[in-house]
Amino acid sequence: MTQLLFKHINVEGMASIDVYEKHGGYETLKKALKQKPEEILETVKASGLRGRGGAGFPTGLKWSFLAKNVYPRYLVCNADESEPGTCKDRELLLKNPHLLIEGMIICAYACEIETGYNYMRGEFYDLCEIFDKAVEEAYDRGYLGKNILKSKFNLDLHSHLGAGAYICGEESALLNSLEGMRGEPRLKPPFPAVEGLYGKPTVVNNVETLCAVVPVVEGGAKAYAALGTEKSKGTKLVSVSGHVRNPGNFEVVLGTPTSEIIEMAGGMREGRKLKAFIPGGSSVPMLPADKVDTPYDYESLQAAGSMLGSGALIVMDDSANVVKETLRIASFYMHESCGKCTPCREGTRWLHQILGEIESGRGKDENIGLLQDICDNMSFKCFCPLGDAAIAPVLSGIANFREDYEELLSQAKAGVAAE
Amino acid sequence: MFAFSETSEKEIEKQLVKYPPDRKKSAILALLRIAQQQNGYVSPEAMEEIGRRLDLSPAYVEGVCSFYTMYYTRPVGQYVILFCINVSCHLLNCDNLLEYTAKKLNIEVGGTTEDKKFTLLREECLAECSRAPVMRINNDYHVNLTPQKIDQILDSLK
């Protein structure tokens, strides 16, 4: 099994620089500093590495969009991991913070950046302490600061804690939050690569993406691109949660059948059958059991009607009721909508209200059409994708698990008749 | 009146140097956090003081403060229990565990015990989904919860 990011994840003491170095840590940085920044950029481009936070945008391309000859530039690591079902970045930060730091340094070198921030969600206070300590160690060894390893390259890294807001995982909202504002998204364009933090060109990448830069540069673009499918290269961390025997984070080569990943997590619980799975976090459409052999990669999951998203595989067995779970997710989006755009602010509340009526046995047949209509009015009508995320479980639930809706609706009818 | 303590001042200094001198507004989340660490919650007076430090109006500070869920604008218990209720925890019966915890503490969800020791709140996803059900008490995560484990954890908190 190919393990690039999780190769040393369970080595005791890996969070300390001594143990990290003992396992080859910071050797890739030394190698990178001997190359020109453009060469690193080309390597990352050629590797096919794509953003692991959710959007799946090619990482090298994102870096190459930085406005030319505008400085200072900033690097921002998005460690606002809050997509329901996702817990991979937390494990990386908890157990192997130096891998992220090494990846951030290599990225900053390739993009000619001298200041970086690691924006961690406020709940990751414990991880922030670990990160700060690791940064201090990296300064002491000359991997950060002025003239890093005598390369004339300078970089300062800082931690920054959020304070509880899902929306700050969206990169433009994150930048507003980092600037000391409410975490509301910005209208794009301009994209952060042109006008990002403090109006300067900024690279925003997810924790896993920046960590993956290390094995990409270490093994070379060819070796990385040899893994995976034609368009989905390399490995992906998948957080498996829900109704499986041994939930956990697993590193898989992209293109691995989803059913195999569920098996890695111990398979279904005793006497239970798979009913539904959400392949990429609560923001992507849920799929029925007959799609479980879909290869776990960006294109195949899209063809199957969903998305890879952040790599959070939420598994539901036949004890789950799709309406109840959808209501739970709808309640989340209502809570997290920042309120800036009307379709999302009002739509998330209406979805929650109607789903609540159906779930509590007070639904009417026309509610299903109403839900679909509201979803249609939220789709692609907001500054950021939160509204689109909120409708995914609703529409896919109605399309794939209509019987769960109809059962509750017929109970409601029977209830009315009995009165 | 609100004044930052000596410990808080040291922490503020550490935070301010992270940002360009003309961008100290970036430290607002940190200052709100420090004020809360010091006093348990963020009072209007604390917001005013933060505004003075960062050249921001009290209304601006309040606007930012109210956007984020981790700031408390009223006193809370010594231990704040954030109980994840999102989908991965929900699939593993977090609702029952939350109810169990509320009963054990003899409060409603959202309330604080009479002795001001515990506040119990619902929380959205804490990013520990593969070790669900999960709760966070102050800065510590507690995972794979069962009623027995909840008993153990709460009883151990002095």
Side-chain angles (χ1 to χ4, degrees):
Chain A
M1 222 168 49
T2 311
Q3 299 286 286
L4 301 177
L5 303 183
F6 270 5
K7 197 168 163 188
H8 302 302
I9 198 74
N10 287 322
V11 172
E12 205 178 316
M14 201 63 187
S16 79
I17 200 160
D18 287 332
V19 179
Y20 185 69
E21 283 182 332
K22 213 170 119 193
H23 289 83
Y26 291 108
E27 289 304 316
T28 309
L29 172 65
K30 290 173 193 163
K31 183 181 155 182
L33 291 176
K34 288 185 188 124
Q35 300 174 44
K36 289 191 184 124
E38 309 87 80
E39 290 175 76
I40 309 282
L41 178 61
E42 280 315 310
T43 301
V44 174
K45 263 191 191 171
S47 73
L49 175 64
R50 293 165 66 170
R52 301 300 192 216
F57 193 81
T59 305
L61 200 59
K62 199 173 190 180
W63 295 3
S64 72
F65 287 160
L66 281 169
K68 303 279 173 268
N69 302 317
V70 186
Y71 301 93
R73 296 166 164 184
Y74 292 102
L75 167 62
V76 177
C77 171
N78 184 343
D80 191 65
E81 181 168 59
S82 36
E83 173 71 13
T86 319
C87 50
K88 64 191 175 66
D89 297 338
R90 183 168 166 81
E91 185 161 359
L92 283 170
L93 284 160
L94 186 71
K95 298 181 179 170
N96 203 352
H98 283 288
L99 183 65
L100 173 65
I101 293 170
E102 186 170 5
M104 286 182 82
I105 303 171
I106 296 171
C107 167
Y109 175 70
C111 298
E112 302 178 328
I113 292 169
E114 296 198 338
T115 308
Y117 294 96
N118 183 15
Y119 185 106
M120 285 168 273
R121 59 179 294 179
E123 290 84 352
F124 286 179
Y125 189 89
D126 53 343
L127 303 184
C128 188
E129 290 183 323
I130 293 170
F131 181 79
D132 284 343
K133 184 167 171 273
V135 164
E136 212 179 295
E137 290 177 329
Y139 271 104
D140 286 347
R141 301 269 161 112
Y143 299 131
L144 285 171
K146 298 268 177 255
N147 194 17
I148 294 168
L149 304 175
K150 302 197 173 83
S151 65
K152 294 191 180 137
F153 165 59
N154 310 320
L155 177 66
D156 286 311
L157 280 190
H158 307 287
S159 61
H160 181 100
L161 272 174
Y166 167 72
I167 187 67
C168 290
E170 193 278 332
E171 61 181 10
S172 71
L174 185 151
L175 293 174
N176 275 349
S177 177
L178 183 48
E179 289 187 14
M181 296 185 254
R182 294 161 69 90
E184 289 169 349
R186 301 175 180 175
L187 191 61
K188 296 189 237 182
F191 287 93
V194 177
E195 280 182 39
L197 183 63
Y198 308 133
K200 298 295 181 190
T202 303
V203 172
V204 186
N205 278 143
N206 169 257
V207 173
E208 183 185 348
T209 314
L210 287 164
C211 287
V213 168
V214 179
V216 163
V217 173
E218 182 188 6
K222 259 194 196 155
Y224 193 81
L227 299 166
T229 68
E230 196 198 330
K231 287 184 179 164
S232 298
K233 304 294 191 192
T235 63
K236 177 80 189 84
L237 301 182
V238 183
S239 305
V240 188
S241 68
H243 293 152
V244 289
R245 280 203 189 94
N246 305 310
N249 289 312
F250 302 92
E251 182 170 15
V252 303
V253 172
L254 284 162
T256 303
T258 307
S259 48
E260 272 184 36
I261 304 173
I262 293 178
E263 281 313 308
M264 285 177 198
M268 305 307 293
R269 302 182 298 180
E270 192 67 42
R272 291 290 179 186
K273 278 196 320 224
L274 177 68
K275 174 172 179 171
F277 64 102
I278 306 179
S282 71
S283 299
V284 310
M286 54 179 88
L287 295 173
D290 62 13
K291 297 272 172 75
V292 75
D293 290 322
T294 307
Y296 200 86
D297 62 68
Y298 295 97
E299 288 70 34
S300 303
L301 286 166
Q302 195 169 7
S306 189
M307 286 190 285
L308 187 141
S310 58
L313 179 56
I314 304 168
V315 180
M316 301 182 204
D317 67 25
D318 51 0
S319 70
N321 180 295
V322 165
V323 180
K324 286 186 199 300
E325 298 315 321
T326 305
L327 173 63
R328 188 70 278 295
I329 297 171
S331 158
F332 167 70
Y333 287 111
M334 176 179 68
H335 183 257
E336 299 297 341
S337 174
C338 80
K340 180 167 181 151
C341 312
T342 312
C344 173
R345 182 185 66 234
E346 300 303 319
T348 49
R349 193 172 64 90
W350 291 342
L351 291 179
H352 179 258
Q353 195 177 340
I354 297 165
L355 282 163
E357 279 171 20
I358 299 175
E359 193 260 349
S360 63
R362 290 176 291 123
K364 301 184 189 81
D365 284 348
E366 58 265 32
N367 284 164
I368 289 188
L370 188 56
L371 284 173
Q372 288 167 320
D373 188 46
I374 294 167
C375 290
D376 185 44
N377 280 302
M378 291 169 70
S379 176
F380 287 103
K381 291 183 180 63
C382 305
F383 273 43
C384 90
L386 193 143
D388 294 282
I391 69 176
V394 180
L395 290 179
S396 60
I398 294 172
N400 297 318
F401 305 95
R402 202 177 171 108
E403 61 280 5
D404 280 15
Y405 282 85
E406 279 172 353
E407 197 188 327
L408 283 161
L409 289 172
S410 67
Q411 279 170 14
K413 247 188 250 171
V416 172
E419 282 169 21
Chain B
M1 261 305 282
F2 175 87
F4 281 113
S5 68
E6 211 174 301
T7 321
S8 296
E9 293 290 0
K10 275 188 196 142
E11 184 58 27
I12 290 171
E13 256 172 63
K14 275 206 303 207
Q15 296 298 329
L16 281 172
V17 296
K18 292 179 176 178
Y19 312 101
D22 58 338
R23 301 288 183 177
K24 59 183 179 181
K25 188 166 84 178
S26 281
I28 187 169
L29 297 188
L31 265 65
L32 285 164
R33 184 177 70 245
I34 293 164
Q36 178 159 300
Q37 269 167 358
Q38 182 183 308
N39 282 16
Y41 74 108
V42 189
S43 63
E45 293 77 18
M47 289 186 216
E48 267 182 54
E49 177 59 23
I50 291 168
R52 267 195 292 276
R53 297 297 177 101
L54 304 177
D55 291 330
L56 301 166
S57 69
Y60 181 88
V61 178
E62 191 180 350
V64 171
C65 180
S66 67
F67 186 85
Y68 299 91
T69 57
M70 291 181 72
Y71 301 123
Y72 309 121
T73 48
R74 270 172 299 195
V76 288
Q78 183 191 352
Y79 296 104
V80 179
I81 306 171
L82 300 174
F83 216 101
C84 178
I85 51 158
N86 213 299
V87 60
S88 301
C89 288
H90 191 246
L91 286 167
L92 298 176
N93 298 322
C94 67
D95 284 358
N96 295 345
L97 290 173
L98 178 61
E99 204 187 301
Y100 176 84
T101 309
K103 260 196 194 144
K104 180 178 167 71
L105 298 175
N106 198 22
I107 50 174
E108 303 271 321
V109 179
T112 299
T113 53
E114 256 175 47
D115 60 2
K116 310 273 183 259
K117 193 166 165 189
F118 294 104
T119 297
L120 178 63
L121 300 172
R122 285 190 182 85
E123 171 74 343
E124 294 296 352
C125 189
L126 283 164
E128 265 294 6
C129 319
S130 61
R131 297 198 286 167
V134 183
M135 66 179 175
R136 186 172 178 270
I137 304 182
N138 294 353
N139 290 325
D140 298 318
Y141 274 73
H142 301 276
V143 298
N144 297 127
L145 296 176
T146 58
Q148 295 74 26
K149 209 163 167 185
I150 290 171
D151 284 346
Q152 231 174 48
I153 294 161
L154 296 189
D155 295 345
S156 74
L157 293 173
K158 290 279 146 61

